[in-house]
Amino acid sequence: MFSKDDLLFKKKLDSLINKHLPEDWQEYPDETLDNHWELSKKIKKSLSEKKWIAPSWPIEYGGLDKSFTQSIILSETMSYRMAPGNDRFGVRMIGPTLLKYGTDFQKEKYLKRLAAGLNIGAFSLSEPQSGSDASNMITTAIKDGNNYILNGTKNWVTNGINSDLVLVFAVTKKGIGHKGISCFIVEKGLSGFECGKAENKLGIRASDTCELYFDNVKISKENRIGQEGEGFKIALSTLDGGRIGIASQALGIATASLNHSIKYSKEREQFGKPIANNQSIQFKIADMAMELEAARLLTWKAAWLKDHHKNFSALASMAKVYASEVAMRASTQCVQIHGGYGYIRETGVERLMRDAKITQIYEGTSEIQRVVIARSLL
Ligand SMILES: Cc1cc2nc3c(=O)[nH]c(=O)nc-3n(C[C@H](O)[C@H](O)[C@H](O)COP(=O)(O)OP(=O)(O)OC[C@H]3O[C@@H](n4cnc5c(N)ncnc54)[C@H](O)[C@@H]3O)c2cc1C
């Protein structure tokens, strides 16, 4: 499913990222969060010089007009080393939304800076009372002449603290459910817009997640994306593509789990022989490799469908559920294969298990993905 161009991109990307984060990076403990951030800044700089932060975006907006598949390759390659993957670059969700629904003015103003790595974007749909049931949001954006006045609290915003721009979904017309939701691009620094503290998370600790507070924040109507009432449709459409991104993030974690398991099981000796000589270890590794291949094909197929403008929504959900479950199983087995050494921070593999968990939760939990898949079939 990969074109020659995609494969060449993968090779070049690997070699560039390897300069900053060599293979054995996984063996570093993740205590040094600041170090992760410094590293991801350096990687971002190198990638932006080659226009590889958003390779699938049009050339006029700072991309290379390449396939969507190349952004999936970027996500997997980054996540192999550092699980928030390309989330730290803050383009994955905001870019596709602006490209599909933004005005020329909005595209011109925001996309180039995002693709050049000069701005970081965030996507803010969830609220404390509305997670899976996202349309049950209560944040409001009430029209006031040429402006909207935004009030409410959002939570779980990836890059909330470090971002410059946030896509915010809010109710513009009450009482009509998801048809009353609209989407806005909100710049940091507006009066009444505050961020909460960074959440102390189980995994993906190299990206920040926080609450956002809006207290009578005035947003120009030029910052509304799409028509009034189109917000929920926009959110769902962005999430469809985003889910293939999460699947590829899970592939990166699962691949790292497999490679560490192979390496350690050949090195570690017990009862006078490498533990890899035991069939029970071999079967674990065989299962990991087999499931990883299946997950990768599913993810690539979803990306291929998207690249070929075919309906990919159910496949994106299948890829996300399956790849995230594979990553969770592979990383858990990887810790098991490392025995006690797998359970301590110094060895680094426990981080894979902690990082894998989020892929089953954000951008729609595994349960919600199954709802999407079943709906498409029934
Ligand atoms: C680290 C992190 C980063 C995040 N980043 C972002 C972000 O950038 N932007 C953003 O908008 N959100 C973000 N989220 C939010 C994330 O998308 C939500 O946490 C997720 O959608 C689940 O919502 P919830 O946590 O409210 O759980 P709930 O919706 O309360 O679900 C709780 C449990 O019930 C299950 N459940 C709910 N409804 C059903 C149903 N109908 N059928 C079966 N089971 C069901 C769920 O699957 C889950 O197991 C992030 C979350 C985390 C933890």
Side-chain angles (χ1 to χ4, degrees), residues 123-126 131-132 155-158 201 204 209 358 361-365 367-368 371:
F123 177 89
S124 182
L125 178 68
S126 306
S132 301
N155 69 347
W156 308 128
V157 185
T158 301
K201 296 178 293 190
I204 53 162
T209 307
I358 194 61
I361 297 174
Y362 66 178
E363 296 193 28
T365 62
E367 290 79 5
I368 294 303
V371 171

Side-chain angles (χ1 to χ4, degrees), residues 184-210:
F184 300 89
I185 186 155
V186 183
E187 294 179 30
K188 282 281 180 67
L190 291 178
S191 169
F193 180 2
E194 302 284 339
C195 300
K197 65 171 178 44
E199 302 292 354
N200 189 7
K201 296 178 293 190
L202 175 73
I204 53 162
R205 293 171 65 84
S207 71
D208 74 80
T209 307
C210 73

